[in-house]
Amino acid sequence: SSSSSAAWRSSNEREGVTASAGAAPAIRSADVAVIGDGPAGSALASACHRLGIDVVLVGADAPWTSTYATWIDDLDGVALPATVLEARFDSVSVHVDEAIEVPRAYGVFDNEALRNTLRHRLDHVTGRVRSVLPVDRGRQRVVLDSGAEVSARLVIDAAGWPSSFAARVDDAPPAWQTALGVVLAEPPDGELGRPTLMDFRAVRPSRGGQGSSSIGPTGVTTFCYSLPVTDGWLVEETVLAARPAVEPIALLPRLAARLGRHPDDVLANALRTEYVRIPMGGSRPVLDQPIVAFGAAAGYVHAATGFSVASSLRAAPRVADAIAVGLGGGSIEPRAVAEAVWPAAFRRSRVLHDYGLDLLLRLDDDEVREFFGAFFRLPIDQVQRYMRIDTPPQEVAAVMARLFSSVSWPMRRRLASGNPASFARLLRP
């Protein structure tokens, strides 16, 4: 989205920096400009601000309408008040061939509280960024559609996938997690009326039929995600990963069948509707470039789960520290900051997660249920390790080896269905 003029806040207002009709465009000078004012960009700008870095957050100031959730332990060490979570559950359910209660606390963010916390006392320039241009002495100009500009020693692209200003390693298409969700006034009947992370059980049309595969998109395994949110109860039919993407609206017949309702009735009675598109396994950014990517723009979406917000919240202090070190030494080297975004060890972990994503794209319904049944029966600390992008690669490999040993022989052949020797090397600690 865009705005017709730039709104200058915080220190800009104190300094009297404005862009008035007929006047020359206002120029704000800073050490760091973070493009993208979603959770990732706001978190990094906040971390920089806490270190005393002169930082400006740039973005359209659009509302955060998506449902952001996290495992509670993924926020360990993150400096946020408890009020940023609107709901917290001690466990969540996973349904495969049987129900599994996952004893790991899970929470839903209060978007407004998270936004206000991360944006506290930040300089925020609102508007759509038109371009980023190099200038003399290592500085760059962030130019908005309004004509207003921010001059910075370092520019961070945190405006989401695909990155608009930072180059990626390649243009390989990501897999897409898509979903159609409706918020209902009351919890649905049955087990979906409890917090449910994944329900892979087959659904059937009200007049019989062959099950989930005959409803909605063919050849695609989906699950249902169900939990209370601020304004009601969210029920979401989700494609874990597909390439190319399945359009969210194509999931309406399957969601309606799961709820035992007519599709028109589902939409008519929804308090609101969510259409979700999450890139999974997108290419990482190039390390040697003047603009540094962060958050989803840097490929921070977990390649096998779709989670990303907590990853950005954890990484923001680490990246801000790297920026502060550069400033303390008299210059900011984008390569050093990019290495903090994606340290070498985490890049190796990403290779393992990418392998998991490629596997999931090849599994049929029965195999998906066996895979996730085995995964969520692992010790909870191993589930935690695999589901974080910043777990050391040897620990990710150990979880994969443990999972491999716990599944059936046919599934083992599927897990190693690429190059067995290559798979063995992936699992090597």
Side-chain angles (χ1 to χ4, degrees), residues 359 362 404 407-418:
L359 168 72
R362 298 195 302 270
F404 181 80
V407 298
S408 66
W409 278 105
M411 178 57 78
R412 291 183 191 185
R413 287 193 291 272
R414 291 292 278 161
L415 292 176
S417 60

Side-chain angles (χ1 to χ4, degrees), residues 30-54:
D31 287 326
V32 179
V34 178
I35 300 172
D37 55 4
S42 298
L44 181 54
S46 178
C48 289
H49 177 77
R50 288 196 301 272
L51 295 179
I53 295 170
D54 184 13

Side-chain angles (χ1 to χ4, degrees), residues 30 62 278:
I278 300 173

Side-chain angles (χ1 to χ4, degrees), residues 44 51 58 62 149 169 187 221 232 252-253 275 278 283 298-299 320 343 352 359 363 379 392 399 401 406:
L44 181 54
L51 295 179
V58 185
E149 299 181 5
V169 172
T221 302
L252 176 59
Y275 299 88
I278 300 173
S283 178
L352 296 168
L359 168 72
L363 299 183
V399 176
S406 70

Side-chain angles (χ1 to χ4, degrees), residues 103-157:
R104 188 182 179 197
Y106 190 78
V108 178
F109 285 108
D110 180 324
N111 287 358
E112 194 64 22
L114 179 65
R115 178 187 176 106
N116 291 340
T117 298
L118 296 178
R119 300 267 189 88
H120 183 61
R121 299 182 66 84
L122 287 181
D123 284 358
H124 188 194
V125 177
T126 61
R128 183 180 180 277
V129 175
R130 179 195 306 163
S131 59
V132 179
L133 306 173
V135 293
D136 294 337
R137 293 173 300 211
R139 299 188 72 88
Q140 299 181 78
R141 290 165 51 212
V142 177
V143 182
L144 280 70
D145 278 348
S146 64
E149 299 181 5
V150 176
S151 170
R153 299 170 68 181
L154 177 70
V155 173
I156 306 287
D157 182 357

Side-chain angles (χ1 to χ4, degrees), residues 18 50 61 182 233 261 318 358:
T18 59
R50 288 196 301 272
D61 200 25
V182 292
W233 195 285
R261 302 182 184 182
R318 178 180 75 237
D358 289 340

Side-chain angles (χ1 to χ4, degrees), residues 214-403:
S214 66
I215 307 170
T218 59
V220 176
T221 302
T222 65
F223 64 88
C224 191
Y225 177 71
S226 178
L227 75 172
V229 291
T230 300
D231 50 345
W233 195 285
L234 173 66
V235 186
E236 201 165 79
E237 195 71 20
T238 306
V239 178
L240 179 65
R243 188 186 292 128
V246 175
E247 288 302 320
I249 195 62
L251 299 170
L252 176 59
R254 198 170 294 184
L255 175 61
R258 198 179 292 276
L259 292 171
R261 302 182 184 182
H262 189 279
D264 291 344
D265 177 64
V266 170
L267 293 181
N269 289 282
L271 301 179
R272 61 181 173 88
T273 306
E274 289 192 3
Y275 299 88
V276 179
R277 296 175 64 92
I278 300 173
M280 299 172 68
S283 178
R284 290 184 294 100
V286 175
L287 292 176
D288 284 312
Q289 60 177 319
I291 298 174
V292 177
F294 184 73
Y300 262 25
V301 180
H302 192 292
T305 70
F307 283 83
S308 68
V309 172
S311 298
S312 295
L313 294 173
R314 290 195 307 275
R318 178 180 75 237
V319 177
D321 284 343
I323 295 172
V325 168
L327 287 170
S331 65
I332 308 176
E333 293 297 332
R335 171 65 186 247
V337 178
E339 289 277 5
V341 173
W342 273 112
F346 299 165
R347 299 199 297 270
R348 292 194 292 273
S349 295
R350 175 58 181 271
V351 172
L352 296 168
H353 288 138
D354 283 343
Y355 188 96
L357 171 61
D358 289 340
L359 168 72
L360 290 172
L361 291 170
R362 298 195 302 270
L363 299 183
D364 63 25
D365 289 5
D366 291 339
E367 291 167 335
V368 166
R369 284 192 289 271
E370 179 180 354
F371 178 90
F372 280 102
F375 178 74
F376 282 109
R377 290 186 184 97
L378 293 174
I380 200 64
D381 63 317
Q382 296 195 20
V383 171
Q384 175 198 35
R385 290 171 194 164
Y386 185 79
M387 297 180 79
R388 294 175 61 150
I389 67 170
D390 49 6
T391 294
Q394 62 272 20
E395 294 184 20
V396 177
V399 176
M400 295 173 72
R402 175 74 175 262
L403 179 63

